[in-house]
């Protein structure tokens, strides 16, 4: 009798283990249970030491997050632009009489900025110098100091969108977002639709500088506006004054 009892217990234990093993296999096949993976520690690349967006993996390859239109705003929010830079852009706007062209130069050193807007012929149209609290504006008609920083933001003067637009825009109107290479720069390509205007705008945003390298407006399938970065450096090409006056 004892032998039969032990045999019964052994069969019961074996049967229970088989049931547990079967449940484990079923859960694993459904993806509920997965094998632990070796964690890869990513170290910031020296070029992007102040920018948490880009990393170098242990094998030396460039690693970026999986980016799409659902999380690109978080990626943009993580960009940390440098404290000192020189930015030069050209713009072209389609008009009934042809096209209007301008060029602009932007200098930044900490909270001090200087923005210059030029006509196609090279005439200086506007200069805006800011200390982070107010803006000194000079045009051919005269000069004045204003406190409305938003109205005289460098991107506004240069006719370029800035990061704030992408952080505050309606995510449902984002058509596409992906990491791409644009003229040797690691960029976030973003396509945004303005449904009320039947208009789409496309941007290549530098992940290092947090500035658009290229922007275009497409209305009715026709490109009506383009803005192109022609220079983007950490150093100024000439002596620059940030004096307010």
């Amino acid at each position: 009798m004892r032998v039969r009892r032990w045999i019964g217990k052994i069969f019961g234990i074996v049967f229970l283990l088989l049931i547990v093993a079967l449940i484990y296999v079923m859960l694993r096949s459904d993806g509920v249970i997965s094998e632990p993976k070796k964690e890869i520690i990513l170290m910031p690349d020296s070029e992007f030491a102040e920018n948490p967006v880009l990393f170098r993996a242990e094998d030396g390859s460039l690693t970026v997050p999986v980016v799409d239109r659902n999380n690109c705003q978080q990626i943009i929010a993580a960009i940390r632009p440098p404290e000192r830079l020189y930015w030069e852009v050209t713009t072209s706007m389609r008009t009934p009489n042809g096209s209007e062209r301008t060029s602009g130069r932007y200098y930044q050193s900490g909270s001090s900025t200087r923005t210059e807007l030029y006509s196609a012929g090279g005439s200086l149209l506007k200069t805006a110098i800011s200390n982070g609290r107010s803006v000194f504006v000079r045009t051919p008609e005269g000069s004045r100091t204003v406190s409305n920083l938003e109205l005289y933001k460098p991107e506004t003067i240069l006719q370029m969108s800035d990061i704030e637009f992408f952080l505050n825009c309606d995510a449902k109107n984002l058509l596409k977002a992906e990491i791409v290479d644009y003229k040797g720069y690691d960029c976030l390509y973003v396509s945004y639709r303005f449904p009320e205007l039947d208009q789409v705008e496309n941007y290549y945003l530098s992940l290092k500088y947090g500035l658009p390298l290229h922007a275009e407006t497409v209305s009715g399938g026709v490109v009506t506006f383009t803005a192109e970065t022609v220079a983007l450096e950490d150093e100024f090409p000439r002596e620059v004054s940030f004096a307010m006056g």
Side-chain angles (χ1 to χ4, degrees), residues 9 21 47 73 89 103 117 164 185-186 203 213 217 237:
K9 289 181 179 181
E47 182 181 358
Q73 288 172 303
V89 304
S103 63
L117 181 66
E164 291 299 320
Y185 292 90
D186 293 300
Y203 299 89
L213 300 185
T217 300

Side-chain angles (χ1 to χ4, degrees), residues 23 29 50 73 100 102 126 145 170 181 189 196 229 244:
I23 294 174
S29 64
E50 302 300 324
Q73 288 172 303
E100 294 181 358
T102 62
K126 183 181 296 183
T145 299
D170 192 339
D181 177 273
Y189 170 76
E196 67 279 6
T229 292
M244 304 278 289

Side-chain angles (χ1 to χ4, degrees), residues 86-91 103-105 160 183 185 212-214 227-233:
Y86 168 69
W87 184 31
E88 185 174 346
V89 304
T90 60
T91 66
S103 63
R105 300 168 186 170
M160 278 283 210
K183 295 186 176 181
Y185 292 90
L213 300 185
H214 178 84
E228 186 77 18
T229 292
V230 296
L232 191 55
E233 305 290 343

Side-chain angles (χ1 to χ4, degrees), residues 13-195:
I13 293 172
V14 172
F15 180 77
L16 181 61
L17 291 175
L18 288 174
I19 294 297
V20 171
L22 180 62
I23 294 174
Y24 175 83
V25 171
M26 292 175 63
L27 289 176
R28 186 176 176 187
S29 64
D30 290 337
V32 178
I33 297 177
S34 60
E35 288 293 327
K37 297 179 179 179
K38 181 181 178 181
E39 182 180 358
I40 299 178
I41 300 175
L42 303 179
M43 299 299 291
D45 184 270
S46 58
E47 182 181 358
F48 301 95
E50 302 300 324
N51 188 333
V53 176
L54 299 178
F55 299 90
R56 294 288 178 185
E58 289 181 332
D59 62 359
S61 60
L62 182 65
T63 303
V64 296
V66 175
V67 177
D68 55 32
R69 61 181 184 174
N70 297 314
N71 69 354
C72 71
Q73 288 172 303
Q74 288 80 4
I75 301 300
I76 294 173
I79 299 175
R80 298 291 180 266
E83 289 291 312
R84 183 180 176 89
L85 62 86
Y86 168 69
W87 184 31
E88 185 174 346
V89 304
T90 60
T91 66
S92 178
M93 181 177 295
R94 187 186 182 96
T95 68
N97 298 323
S99 62
E100 294 181 358
R101 298 179 184 275
T102 62
S103 63
R105 300 168 186 170
Y106 171 67
Y107 307 84
Q108 176 183 328
S109 179
S111 60
S112 298
T113 65
R114 180 186 181 100
T115 310
E116 301 169 352
L117 181 66
Y118 295 84
S119 68
S123 300
L124 181 60
L125 301 176
K126 183 181 296 183
T127 302
I129 302 172
S130 174
N131 58 10
R133 300 181 300 276
S134 59
V135 185
F136 173 76
V137 182
R138 183 169 54 241
T139 66
E141 290 75 32
S143 60
R144 63 192 183 279
T145 299
V146 298
S147 58
N148 191 337
L149 301 181
E150 287 295 319
L151 186 60
Y152 292 97
K153 292 179 69 172
E155 293 87 352
T156 302
I157 296 174
L158 300 177
Q159 303 181 64
M160 278 283 210
S161 291
D162 61 0
I163 286 181
E164 291 299 320
F165 166 76
F166 299 102
L167 296 180
N168 299 317
C169 69
D170 192 339
K172 72 179 182 182
N173 292 325
L174 288 165
L175 300 178
K176 190 173 184 179
E178 61 181 346
I179 299 293
V180 298
D181 177 273
Y182 183 78
K183 295 186 176 181
Y185 292 90
D186 293 300
C187 292
L188 174 63
Y189 170 76
V190 180
S191 183
Y192 188 84
R193 177 176 63 92
F194 293 86

Side-chain angles (χ1 to χ4, degrees), residues 3-15:
V3 174
R4 289 182 179 179
R5 288 178 184 175
W6 278 108
I7 292 174
K9 289 181 179 181
I10 291 172
F11 274 106
I13 293 172
V14 172
F15 180 77

